Amino acid sequence: MKFTDGNWLVREGYSIHFPRFIHEVVEKDGVITLYAPCKYINNRGNTLDGPLLTIKISAPLNDVIRIQTWHFTGRKAKYPNFEVLDQANKIEWKEEDDTLSFTSGQLYLKISKKDFSLSFENTNGKLTTGDAKALAWIKGPEEKTYMRGQLQLGVGEHLYGLGERFTPFVKNGQTVDVWNKDGGTSSEQSYKNVPFYLSSKGYGVFVNHPEEVSYELGSEVVSRSQFSVEGEYLDYYLINGPTPKEVISRYTELTGKPALPPAWSFGLWLSTSFTTNYNEETVNHFVDGMSERGIPLTVFHFDCFWMKEFEWTSFMWDERNFPDPQGMLNRLKAKGLKICVWINPYIAQKSPLFDEGVEKGYLIQKPNGDVWQWDLWQAGMGIVDFTNPAACEWYKEKLKTLLDMGVDSFKTDFGERIPTDVVYHDGSDPQKMHNYYSYAFNELVFGLLKEELGEKEAVVFARSSTTGGQQFPVHWGGDCDSTYDAMAESLRGGLSLTTSGFGYWSHDIGGFENTATPDVFKRWTAFGLLSSHSRFHGSSSYRVPWHFDEEAVDVARHFTKLKNSLMPYIYGQAVENNETGVPVMRSMHVEFPEDPLCETLDRQYMLGDSILVAPIFNDEGIGSFYLPEGKWTHYLTNTVIEGGKWIKEKYDYFSLPIFIKPNTILPTGKNEEHPVYDYSDELVFKLYEIDNHHEVIQELVNTDGEKFGSIKIRRQDQTLKVEINGLNKPYQIELKGQTAFEGGPEDKQVEIEL
């Protein structure tokens, strides 16, 4: 939100009050409280008639500093609030003549007592500053008030994140309102809004407000990032890196690390699509068709019309199309498939559950006691009130019936269009609940899956989210078109989301709206099967590959098998994400922060720390991508290319730029038919451009996410010294695509001549 009119004026109807100096400092229980008048005090009379800001400085975590600012502190507390770790570490501080200095780990804050200007630094130097107007209380029209924070944007500094955003990847110059909306993938609206951004200078800023946060990122004042909220209170955290990975890791330490999804969820998902006509015969035709064509399928998803029209959500199978749902699920599971079904948090008026929900107060109400309803999406639909414990149990019981039938996962769709002219059972503030509702919805469903199936089996396929939602993977990118433009905007959104602390991200292979050309579908298939999670899904047409052309079948088979063979590596990256919060799919900047050419790249990404993927976005088959410094090896051809330059090459449909970073040990499996198998059996270690005198260690995990061993390699001139730990089965070591060594449990230390 903008409060000024150019460089000199304040917008009509607004008055901005900022601290002029620090009048008093008080320490209590490890928290430092500053009292800062918004005018100069030249005599006792000046202490009258004017705002005084109360500012608390604390350190909830090493390398994190929290700044809370109040104008009026007597306002009634509003909830819900994000669940944020608060260890209440005692912050180190000292007071000098003109300066207050605060230390948290390697993060330092200095505040001028004379004018309240502030400076954040780490061991590498200055991160960002704020001038005397960096904090402000603002009075606006209609008795509205706002709190505002500002931080300096350095020359060449780039900002990223704020959730899944389909606008330019670098957020400089943008106005961003953190407010969940169902707007597709081709607008400034977003399904997943997260009030956290990452700076290329090596820090992040998390604004701890579930309600709408308005950002002006070099847009109102071109040299400032600005964030504001309505009300009398502002709470933000500045998080030190200095690397992007460390910033994201600390942010997820505060707001929750992603759970580890089950290994099967990384396999190929196939959907009925949305408005297509389907019944059990259609489903069997698709499933058997994939098998007959040799395309490994792991999950089958039933979209909305598994229930009767006008009745979403009823949790009841449409008996006209699925007369024997229990038998059908048994038959599908006998084929080795996992089952996912679509749900949302809405109850249509025609649903058999609606009257019960109304009678028992399970649906969100208007202030006059009526159930809040509208016709957008489902006729007369109400919305489940997840602040009501009884409503939560009611909803979970419906889901449990499906789990007992054999359902393994839920696609938790919608949850963005949440009204604010309502009353919640527990008195929650509707403004705070609007974004937070997505968290409550997915937390409930994910929690039930953990309770019923076990912690290592829980996975959802979620669309809406906010801060903390990364704990409930996975998330997909919403309703995109079936074009190269939509494919590129989807990737921008995904990279923006994973930069915001989300470990996993998927998208509708081939696009959702309309129908892709065979060319787009085949290119999107390669992209989708080199994403963390992979699903064929559409709107009004089926997404089985043979509906495009026969070559699409071959492409789907090729990349599905490729991904399955990479599972020992991919699942190892998932375990790392669970431990550190570093996303599995990540932007080039997150992996290579020292390379300035990586700062703006949004058409390629890293799948884990070793595999670079650059999808092809044109019908000419031209891959256009950048390789950082070092010798990179194309995974499919073993061609080595010297990096540090931009490259354009032509690729057929069975290839794309997929390069392995130098100094990599890539553990791969021989099982291409399923993502779940014994990752220790016949492991193939593929070695890529190990530098002389360099040591590389790769940990090994099993399908339960447990580390069972490691391989360490050190190069000494023309000799590779290999040390194997914990692996008790045969294995191979490959160099440049050729077998260099075959060993067994007894071969723990090996030397290989180059």
Side-chain angles (χ1 to χ4, degrees), residues 1-18 20 133 136-141 146 148 150 220-221:
M1 183 172 180
K2 295 180 174 66
F3 300 102
T4 57
D5 180 7
N7 196 42
W8 314 114
L9 305 178
V10 175
R11 284 181 61 192
E12 186 175 349
Y14 293 84
S15 58
I16 302 176
H17 306 267
F18 49 88
R20 297 291 183 172
K133 300 180 182 181
W137 170 69
I138 300 170
K139 191 172 183 180
Y146 306 86
R148 185 195 71 187
Q150 283 186 344
E220 180 173 6
V221 181

PDB file of all heavy atoms in Angstrom, residues 1-18 20 133 136-141 146 148 150 220-221:
ATOM      1  N   MET A   1       0.848  -1.189   0.000  1.00  0.00           N
ATOM      2  CA  MET A   1       0.000   0.000   0.000  1.00  0.00           C
ATOM      3  C   MET A   1       0.880   1.234   0.000  1.00  0.00           C
ATOM      4  O   MET A   1       1.872   1.306   0.726  1.00  0.00           O
ATOM      5  CB  MET A   1      -0.920   0.001   1.230  1.00  0.00           C
ATOM      6  CG  MET A   1      -1.873   1.157   1.271  1.00  0.00           C
ATOM      7  SD  MET A   1      -3.059   0.965   2.615  1.00  0.00           S
ATOM      8  CE  MET A   1      -4.008   2.454   2.375  1.00  0.00           C
ATOM      9  N   LYS A   2       0.529   2.215  -0.782  1.00  0.00           N
ATOM     10  CA  LYS A   2       1.314   3.444  -0.914  1.00  0.00           C
ATOM     11  C   LYS A   2       0.729   4.528  -0.011  1.00  0.00           C
ATOM     12  O   LYS A   2      -0.474   4.748   0.024  1.00  0.00           O
ATOM     13  CB  LYS A   2       1.344   3.903  -2.370  1.00  0.00           C
ATOM     14  CG  LYS A   2       2.062   2.933  -3.309  1.00  0.00           C
ATOM     15  CD  LYS A   2       2.057   3.469  -4.741  1.00  0.00           C
ATOM     16  CE  LYS A   2       2.904   2.594  -5.670  1.00  0.00           C
ATOM     17  NZ  LYS A   2       2.342   1.245  -5.841  1.00  0.00           N
ATOM     18  N   PHE A   3       1.617   5.224   0.695  1.00  0.00           N
ATOM     19  CA  PHE A   3       1.196   6.276   1.613  1.00  0.00           C
ATOM     20  C   PHE A   3       1.704   7.653   1.197  1.00  0.00           C
ATOM     21  O   PHE A   3       1.284   8.659   1.768  1.00  0.00           O
ATOM     22  CB  PHE A   3       1.706   5.971   3.030  1.00  0.00           C
ATOM     23  CG  PHE A   3       1.181   4.673   3.580  1.00  0.00           C
ATOM     24  CD1 PHE A   3       1.980   3.540   3.603  1.00  0.00           C
ATOM     25  CD2 PHE A   3      -0.112   4.579   4.065  1.00  0.00           C
ATOM     26  CE1 PHE A   3       1.506   2.346   4.112  1.00  0.00           C
ATOM     27  CE2 PHE A   3      -0.606   3.382   4.578  1.00  0.00           C
ATOM     28  CZ  PHE A   3       0.209   2.259   4.603  1.00  0.00           C
ATOM     29  N   THR A   4       2.612   7.685   0.248  1.00  0.00           N
ATOM     30  CA  THR A   4       3.194   8.965  -0.151  1.00  0.00           C
ATOM     31  C   THR A   4       2.780   9.326  -1.568  1.00  0.00           C
ATOM     32  O   THR A   4       2.312   8.479  -2.337  1.00  0.00           O
ATOM     33  CB  THR A   4       4.729   8.915  -0.059  1.00  0.00           C
ATOM     34  OG1 THR A   4       5.221   7.834  -0.874  1.00  0.00           O
ATOM     35  CG2 THR A   4       5.170   8.708   1.376  1.00  0.00           C
ATOM     36  N   ASP A   5       2.971  10.577  -1.888  1.00  0.00           N
ATOM     37  CA  ASP A   5       2.653  11.110  -3.211  1.00  0.00           C
ATOM     38  C   ASP A   5       3.942  11.662  -3.802  1.00  0.00           C
ATOM     39  O   ASP A   5       4.271  12.835  -3.640  1.00  0.00           O
ATOM     40  CB  ASP A   5       1.589  12.208  -3.079  1.00  0.00           C
ATOM     41  CG  ASP A   5       1.194  12.812  -4.420  1.00  0.00           C
ATOM     42  OD1 ASP A   5       1.641  12.284  -5.461  1.00  0.00           O
ATOM     43  OD2 ASP A   5       0.454  13.814  -4.420  1.00  0.00           O
ATOM     44  N   GLY A   6       4.690  10.754  -4.445  1.00  0.00           N
ATOM     45  CA  GLY A   6       5.999  11.167  -4.948  1.00  0.00           C
ATOM     46  C   GLY A   6       7.000  11.286  -3.819  1.00  0.00           C
ATOM     47  O   GLY A   6       6.815  10.766  -2.709  1.00  0.00           O
ATOM     48  N   ASN A   7       8.057  11.986  -4.071  1.00  0.00           N
ATOM     49  CA  ASN A   7       9.172  12.064  -3.137  1.00  0.00           C
ATOM     50  C   ASN A   7       8.912  13.027  -1.980  1.00  0.00           C
ATOM     51  O   ASN A   7       9.506  12.886  -0.911  1.00  0.00           O
ATOM     52  CB  ASN A   7      10.440  12.487  -3.879  1.00  0.00           C
ATOM     53  CG  ASN A   7      11.698  12.218  -3.074  1.00  0.00           C
ATOM     54  OD1 ASN A   7      11.820  11.174  -2.447  1.00  0.00           O
ATOM     55  ND2 ASN A   7      12.609  13.170  -3.071  1.00  0.00           N
ATOM     56  N   TRP A   8       8.022  14.009  -2.184  1.00  0.00           N
ATOM     57  CA  TRP A   8       7.914  15.079  -1.203  1.00  0.00           C
ATOM     58  C   TRP A   8       6.628  15.057  -0.382  1.00  0.00           C
ATOM     59  O   TRP A   8       6.606  15.541   0.747  1.00  0.00           O
ATOM     60  CB  TRP A   8       8.014  16.454  -1.908  1.00  0.00           C
ATOM     61  CG  TRP A   8       9.128  16.538  -2.886  1.00  0.00           C
ATOM     62  CD1 TRP A   8       9.037  16.679  -4.236  1.00  0.00           C
ATOM     63  CD2 TRP A   8      10.519  16.463  -2.584  1.00  0.00           C
ATOM     64  NE1 TRP A   8      10.277  16.702  -4.814  1.00  0.00           N
ATOM     65  CE2 TRP A   8      11.223  16.574  -3.815  1.00  0.00           C
ATOM     66  CE3 TRP A   8      11.264  16.319  -1.413  1.00  0.00           C
ATOM     67  CZ2 TRP A   8      12.591  16.549  -3.907  1.00  0.00           C
ATOM     68  CZ3 TRP A   8      12.639  16.291  -1.497  1.00  0.00           C
ATOM     69  CH2 TRP A   8      13.288  16.397  -2.729  1.00  0.00           C
ATOM     70  N   LEU A   9       5.552  14.532  -0.956  1.00  0.00           N
ATOM     71  CA  LEU A   9       4.248  14.707  -0.342  1.00  0.00           C
ATOM     72  C   LEU A   9       3.718  13.404   0.254  1.00  0.00           C
ATOM     73  O   LEU A   9       4.081  12.308  -0.172  1.00  0.00           O
ATOM     74  CB  LEU A   9       3.242  15.234  -1.371  1.00  0.00           C
ATOM     75  CG  LEU A   9       3.620  16.525  -2.100  1.00  0.00           C
ATOM     76  CD1 LEU A   9       2.552  16.878  -3.124  1.00  0.00           C
ATOM     77  CD2 LEU A   9       3.836  17.670  -1.105  1.00  0.00           C
ATOM     78  N   VAL A  10       2.825  13.548   1.217  1.00  0.00           N
ATOM     79  CA  VAL A  10       2.078  12.432   1.775  1.00  0.00           C
ATOM     80  C   VAL A  10       0.708  12.407   1.110  1.00  0.00           C
ATOM     81  O   VAL A  10       0.118  13.461   0.825  1.00  0.00           O
ATOM     82  CB  VAL A  10       1.938  12.590   3.303  1.00  0.00           C
ATOM     83  CG1 VAL A  10       1.057  11.482   3.883  1.00  0.00           C
ATOM     84  CG2 VAL A  10       3.308  12.580   3.961  1.00  0.00           C
ATOM     85  N   ARG A  11       0.207  11.217   0.813  1.00  0.00           N
ATOM     86  CA  ARG A  11      -1.109  11.115   0.181  1.00  0.00           C
ATOM     87  C   ARG A  11      -2.171  11.818   1.022  1.00  0.00           C
ATOM     88  O   ARG A  11      -2.130  11.774   2.256  1.00  0.00           O
ATOM     89  CB  ARG A  11      -1.494   9.648  -0.007  1.00  0.00           C
ATOM     90  CG  ARG A  11      -0.784   8.941  -1.143  1.00  0.00           C
ATOM     91  CD  ARG A  11      -1.250   7.510  -1.270  1.00  0.00           C
ATOM     92  NE  ARG A  11      -2.684   7.422  -1.563  1.00  0.00           N
ATOM     93  CZ  ARG A  11      -3.381   6.290  -1.489  1.00  0.00           C
ATOM     94  NH1 ARG A  11      -2.782   5.172  -1.113  1.00  0.00           N
ATOM     95  NH2 ARG A  11      -4.662   6.277  -1.774  1.00  0.00           N
ATOM     96  N   GLU A  12      -3.105  12.434   0.323  1.00  0.00           N
ATOM     97  CA  GLU A  12      -4.162  13.164   0.998  1.00  0.00           C
ATOM     98  C   GLU A  12      -4.946  12.231   1.930  1.00  0.00           C
ATOM     99  O   GLU A  12      -5.331  11.129   1.551  1.00  0.00           O
ATOM    100  CB  GLU A  12      -5.105  13.788  -0.033  1.00  0.00           C
ATOM    101  CG  GLU A  12      -6.163  14.682   0.576  1.00  0.00           C
ATOM    102  CD  GLU A  12      -7.010  15.373  -0.477  1.00  0.00           C
ATOM    103  OE1 GLU A  12      -6.643  15.313  -1.678  1.00  0.00           O
ATOM    104  OE2 GLU A  12      -8.037  15.966  -0.099  1.00  0.00           O
ATOM    105  N   GLY A  13      -5.159  12.685   3.135  1.00  0.00           N
ATOM    106  CA  GLY A  13      -5.899  11.901   4.120  1.00  0.00           C
ATOM    107  C   GLY A  13      -5.038  11.057   5.037  1.00  0.00           C
ATOM    108  O   GLY A  13      -5.551  10.420   5.954  1.00  0.00           O
ATOM    109  N   TYR A  14      -3.735  11.047   4.807  1.00  0.00           N
ATOM    110  CA  TYR A  14      -2.829  10.244   5.614  1.00  0.00           C
ATOM    111  C   TYR A  14      -1.856  11.143   6.374  1.00  0.00           C
ATOM    112  O   TYR A  14      -1.438  12.202   5.878  1.00  0.00           O
ATOM    113  CB  TYR A  14      -2.021   9.276   4.739  1.00  0.00           C
ATOM    114  CG  TYR A  14      -2.862   8.203   4.086  1.00  0.00           C
ATOM    115  CD1 TYR A  14      -3.527   8.448   2.883  1.00  0.00           C
ATOM    116  CD2 TYR A  14      -2.999   6.955   4.670  1.00  0.00           C
ATOM    117  CE1 TYR A  14      -4.304   7.467   2.280  1.00  0.00           C
ATOM    118  CE2 TYR A  14      -3.774   5.959   4.076  1.00  0.00           C
ATOM    119  CZ  TYR A  14      -4.427   6.233   2.886  1.00  0.00           C
ATOM    120  OH  TYR A  14      -5.198   5.263   2.303  1.00  0.00           O
ATOM    121  N   SER A  15      -1.488  10.711   7.555  1.00  0.00           N
ATOM    122  CA  SER A  15      -0.414  11.377   8.302  1.00  0.00           C
ATOM    123  C   SER A  15       0.528  10.303   8.825  1.00  0.00           C
ATOM    124  O   SER A  15       0.087   9.274   9.347  1.00  0.00           O
ATOM    125  CB  SER A  15      -0.977  12.209   9.459  1.00  0.00           C
ATOM    126  OG  SER A  15      -1.735  11.408  10.344  1.00  0.00           O
ATOM    127  N   ILE A  16       1.820  10.515   8.636  1.00  0.00           N
ATOM    128  CA  ILE A  16       2.834   9.514   8.958  1.00  0.00           C
ATOM    129  C   ILE A  16       3.608   9.969  10.193  1.00  0.00           C
ATOM    130  O   ILE A  16       4.134  11.080  10.233  1.00  0.00           O
ATOM    131  CB  ILE A  16       3.788   9.292   7.772  1.00  0.00           C
ATOM    132  CG1 ILE A  16       2.995   8.850   6.539  1.00  0.00           C
ATOM    133  CG2 ILE A  16       4.852   8.256   8.124  1.00  0.00           C
ATOM    134  CD1 ILE A  16       3.835   8.687   5.290  1.00  0.00           C
ATOM    135  N   HIS A  17       3.687   9.094  11.196  1.00  0.00           N
ATOM    136  CA  HIS A  17       4.363   9.402  12.448  1.00  0.00           C
ATOM    137  C   HIS A  17       5.466   8.370  12.660  1.00  0.00           C
ATOM    138  O   HIS A  17       5.196   7.173  12.722  1.00  0.00           O
ATOM    139  CB  HIS A  17       3.377   9.360  13.613  1.00  0.00           C
ATOM    140  CG  HIS A  17       2.179  10.235  13.416  1.00  0.00           C
ATOM    141  ND1 HIS A  17       2.111  11.525  13.874  1.00  0.00           N
ATOM    142  CD2 HIS A  17       0.994   9.995  12.780  1.00  0.00           C
ATOM    143  CE1 HIS A  17       0.939  12.055  13.554  1.00  0.00           C
ATOM    144  NE2 HIS A  17       0.254  11.145  12.887  1.00  0.00           N
ATOM    145  N   PHE A  18       6.690   8.836  12.758  1.00  0.00           N
ATOM    146  CA  PHE A  18       7.809   7.920  12.935  1.00  0.00           C
ATOM    147  C   PHE A  18       8.632   8.348  14.144  1.00  0.00           C
ATOM    148  O   PHE A  18       8.612   9.514  14.553  1.00  0.00           O
ATOM    149  CB  PHE A  18       8.670   7.864  11.670  1.00  0.00           C
ATOM    150  CG  PHE A  18       9.046   9.199  11.113  1.00  0.00           C
ATOM    151  CD1 PHE A  18      10.189   9.857  11.541  1.00  0.00           C
ATOM    152  CD2 PHE A  18       8.254   9.820  10.151  1.00  0.00           C
ATOM    153  CE1 PHE A  18      10.542  11.088  11.029  1.00  0.00           C
ATOM    154  CE2 PHE A  18       8.593  11.046   9.631  1.00  0.00           C
ATOM    155  CZ  PHE A  18       9.743  11.694  10.077  1.00  0.00           C
ATOM    156  N   ARG A  20      11.291   9.780  16.530  1.00  0.00           N
ATOM    157  CA  ARG A  20      12.327  10.801  16.345  1.00  0.00           C
ATOM    158  C   ARG A  20      13.619  10.449  17.080  1.00  0.00           C
ATOM    159  O   ARG A  20      14.704  10.828  16.635  1.00  0.00           O
ATOM    160  CB  ARG A  20      11.817  12.146  16.859  1.00  0.00           C
ATOM    161  CG  ARG A  20      10.607  12.684  16.103  1.00  0.00           C
ATOM    162  CD  ARG A  20      10.972  13.086  14.687  1.00  0.00           C
ATOM    163  NE  ARG A  20       9.827  13.675  13.993  1.00  0.00           N
ATOM    164  CZ  ARG A  20       9.903  14.246  12.791  1.00  0.00           C
ATOM    165  NH1 ARG A  20      11.066  14.293  12.166  1.00  0.00           N
ATOM    166  NH2 ARG A  20       8.835  14.741  12.214  1.00  0.00           N
ATOM    167  N   LYS A 133      12.784   6.961   9.073  1.00  0.00           N
ATOM    168  CA  LYS A 133      11.375   6.659   8.803  1.00  0.00           C
ATOM    169  C   LYS A 133      11.134   5.165   8.586  1.00  0.00           C
ATOM    170  O   LYS A 133      10.101   4.764   8.067  1.00  0.00           O
ATOM    171  CB  LYS A 133      10.909   7.435   7.572  1.00  0.00           C
ATOM    172  CG  LYS A 133      11.033   8.947   7.722  1.00  0.00           C
ATOM    173  CD  LYS A 133      10.561   9.679   6.466  1.00  0.00           C
ATOM    174  CE  LYS A 133      10.729  11.187   6.622  1.00  0.00           C
ATOM    175  NZ  LYS A 133      10.268  11.925   5.423  1.00  0.00           N
ATOM    176  N   ALA A 136       6.978   3.243  11.194  1.00  0.00           N
ATOM    177  CA  ALA A 136       6.019   4.345  11.251  1.00  0.00           C
ATOM    178  C   ALA A 136       4.640   3.845  11.631  1.00  0.00           C
ATOM    179  O   ALA A 136       4.246   2.723  11.288  1.00  0.00           O
ATOM    180  CB  ALA A 136       5.963   5.074   9.914  1.00  0.00           C
ATOM    181  N   TRP A 137       3.936   4.706  12.355  1.00  0.00           N
ATOM    182  CA  TRP A 137       2.496   4.543  12.574  1.00  0.00           C
ATOM    183  C   TRP A 137       1.807   5.567  11.701  1.00  0.00           C
ATOM    184  O   TRP A 137       2.202   6.741  11.669  1.00  0.00           O
ATOM    185  CB  TRP A 137       2.142   4.775  14.043  1.00  0.00           C
ATOM    186  CG  TRP A 137       0.657   4.862  14.279  1.00  0.00           C
ATOM    187  CD1 TRP A 137      -0.239   3.855  14.174  1.00  0.00           C
ATOM    188  CD2 TRP A 137      -0.096   6.027  14.645  1.00  0.00           C
ATOM    189  NE1 TRP A 137      -1.505   4.292  14.449  1.00  0.00           N
ATOM    190  CE2 TRP A 137      -1.455   5.638  14.745  1.00  0.00           C
ATOM    191  CE3 TRP A 137       0.233   7.362  14.891  1.00  0.00           C
ATOM    192  CZ2 TRP A 137      -2.470   6.530  15.087  1.00  0.00           C
ATOM    193  CZ3 TRP A 137      -0.772   8.253  15.242  1.00  0.00           C
ATOM    194  CH2 TRP A 137      -2.110   7.835  15.327  1.00  0.00           C
ATOM    195  N   ILE A 138       0.802   5.119  10.969  1.00  0.00           N
ATOM    196  CA  ILE A 138       0.167   5.975   9.967  1.00  0.00           C
ATOM    197  C   ILE A 138      -1.325   6.051  10.240  1.00  0.00           C
ATOM    198  O   ILE A 138      -1.988   5.015  10.417  1.00  0.00           O
ATOM    199  CB  ILE A 138       0.428   5.442   8.549  1.00  0.00           C
ATOM    200  CG1 ILE A 138       1.938   5.408   8.269  1.00  0.00           C
ATOM    201  CG2 ILE A 138      -0.295   6.275   7.492  1.00  0.00           C
ATOM    202  CD1 ILE A 138       2.326   4.683   7.005  1.00  0.00           C
ATOM    203  N   LYS A 139      -1.831   7.261  10.255  1.00  0.00           N
ATOM    204  CA  LYS A 139      -3.263   7.476  10.404  1.00  0.00           C
ATOM    205  C   LYS A 139      -3.846   7.783   9.038  1.00  0.00           C
ATOM    206  O   LYS A 139      -3.346   8.650   8.312  1.00  0.00           O
ATOM    207  CB  LYS A 139      -3.536   8.629  11.369  1.00  0.00           C
ATOM    208  CG  LYS A 139      -4.993   8.758  11.789  1.00  0.00           C
ATOM    209  CD  LYS A 139      -5.156   9.798  12.893  1.00  0.00           C
ATOM    210  CE  LYS A 139      -6.604   9.865  13.351  1.00  0.00           C
ATOM    211  NZ  LYS A 139      -6.782  10.875  14.443  1.00  0.00           N
ATOM    212  N   GLY A 140      -4.903   7.049   8.687  1.00  0.00           N
ATOM    213  CA  GLY A 140      -5.480   7.207   7.369  1.00  0.00           C
ATOM    214  C   GLY A 140      -6.934   7.612   7.416  1.00  0.00           C
ATOM    215  O   GLY A 140      -7.501   7.869   8.490  1.00  0.00           O
ATOM    216  N   PRO A 141      -7.575   7.653   6.255  1.00  0.00           N
ATOM    217  CA  PRO A 141      -8.995   8.021   6.190  1.00  0.00           C
ATOM    218  C   PRO A 141      -9.865   6.999   6.920  1.00  0.00           C
ATOM    219  O   PRO A 141      -9.469   5.855   7.144  1.00  0.00           O
ATOM    220  CB  PRO A 141      -9.279   8.013   4.678  1.00  0.00           C
ATOM    221  CG  PRO A 141      -7.946   8.089   4.023  1.00  0.00           C
ATOM    222  CD  PRO A 141      -6.989   7.409   4.935  1.00  0.00           C
ATOM    223  N   TYR A 146      -2.374   2.242  10.278  1.00  0.00           N
ATOM    224  CA  TYR A 146      -1.462   1.277   9.660  1.00  0.00           C
ATOM    225  C   TYR A 146      -0.109   1.351  10.356  1.00  0.00           C
ATOM    226  O   TYR A 146       0.281   2.385  10.902  1.00  0.00           O
ATOM    227  CB  TYR A 146      -1.269   1.589   8.168  1.00  0.00           C
ATOM    228  CG  TYR A 146      -2.550   1.698   7.387  1.00  0.00           C
ATOM    229  CD1 TYR A 146      -3.256   2.908   7.328  1.00  0.00           C
ATOM    230  CD2 TYR A 146      -3.081   0.607   6.708  1.00  0.00           C
ATOM    231  CE1 TYR A 146      -4.439   3.013   6.622  1.00  0.00           C
ATOM    232  CE2 TYR A 146      -4.263   0.706   5.996  1.00  0.00           C
ATOM    233  CZ  TYR A 146      -4.939   1.912   5.959  1.00  0.00           C
ATOM    234  OH  TYR A 146      -6.115   2.016   5.258  1.00  0.00           O
ATOM    235  N   ARG A 148       3.975   0.529   9.382  1.00  0.00           N
ATOM    236  CA  ARG A 148       4.809   0.367   8.188  1.00  0.00           C
ATOM    237  C   ARG A 148       6.262   0.138   8.575  1.00  0.00           C
ATOM    238  O   ARG A 148       6.773   0.749   9.510  1.00  0.00           O
ATOM    239  CB  ARG A 148       4.720   1.637   7.330  1.00  0.00           C
ATOM    240  CG  ARG A 148       5.459   1.539   5.998  1.00  0.00           C
ATOM    241  CD  ARG A 148       5.650   2.920   5.385  1.00  0.00           C
ATOM    242  NE  ARG A 148       6.630   3.705   6.140  1.00  0.00           N
ATOM    243  CZ  ARG A 148       6.896   4.987   5.903  1.00  0.00           C
ATOM    244  NH1 ARG A 148       6.207   5.645   4.968  1.00  0.00           N
ATOM    245  NH2 ARG A 148       7.811   5.631   6.608  1.00  0.00           N
ATOM    246  N   GLN A 150      10.213  -0.182   6.624  1.00  0.00           N
ATOM    247  CA  GLN A 150      10.979   0.049   5.400  1.00  0.00           C
ATOM    248  C   GLN A 150      12.420  -0.388   5.622  1.00  0.00           C
ATOM    249  O   GLN A 150      12.973  -0.219   6.713  1.00  0.00           O
ATOM    250  CB  GLN A 150      10.979   1.528   5.009  1.00  0.00           C
ATOM    251  CG  GLN A 150       9.729   2.052   4.354  1.00  0.00           C
ATOM    252  CD  GLN A 150       9.896   3.491   3.891  1.00  0.00           C
ATOM    253  OE1 GLN A 150      10.827   4.192   4.304  1.00  0.00           O
ATOM    254  NE2 GLN A 150       8.998   3.948   3.035  1.00  0.00           N
ATOM    255  N   GLU A 220       7.101   2.044  -4.379  1.00  0.00           N
ATOM    256  CA  GLU A 220       6.718   3.373  -3.880  1.00  0.00           C
ATOM    257  C   GLU A 220       7.950   4.249  -3.718  1.00  0.00           C
ATOM    258  O   GLU A 220       8.011   5.361  -4.225  1.00  0.00           O
ATOM    259  CB  GLU A 220       5.978   3.259  -2.553  1.00  0.00           C
ATOM    260  CG  GLU A 220       5.553   4.614  -2.001  1.00  0.00           C
ATOM    261  CD  GLU A 220       4.677   4.527  -0.765  1.00  0.00           C
ATOM    262  OE1 GLU A 220       4.473   3.415  -0.245  1.00  0.00           O
ATOM    263  OE2 GLU A 220       4.180   5.576  -0.330  1.00  0.00           O
ATOM    264  N   VAL A 221       8.926   3.735  -3.000  1.00  0.00           N
ATOM    265  CA  VAL A 221      10.247   4.365  -2.925  1.00  0.00           C
ATOM    266  C   VAL A 221      11.198   3.390  -3.584  1.00  0.00           C
ATOM    267  O   VAL A 221      11.366   2.268  -3.107  1.00  0.00           O
ATOM    268  CB  VAL A 221      10.661   4.643  -1.464  1.00  0.00           C
ATOM    269  CG1 VAL A 221      12.026   5.311  -1.417  1.00  0.00           C
ATOM    270  CG2 VAL A 221       9.613   5.499  -0.758  1.00  0.00           C
TER     271      VAL A 221
END
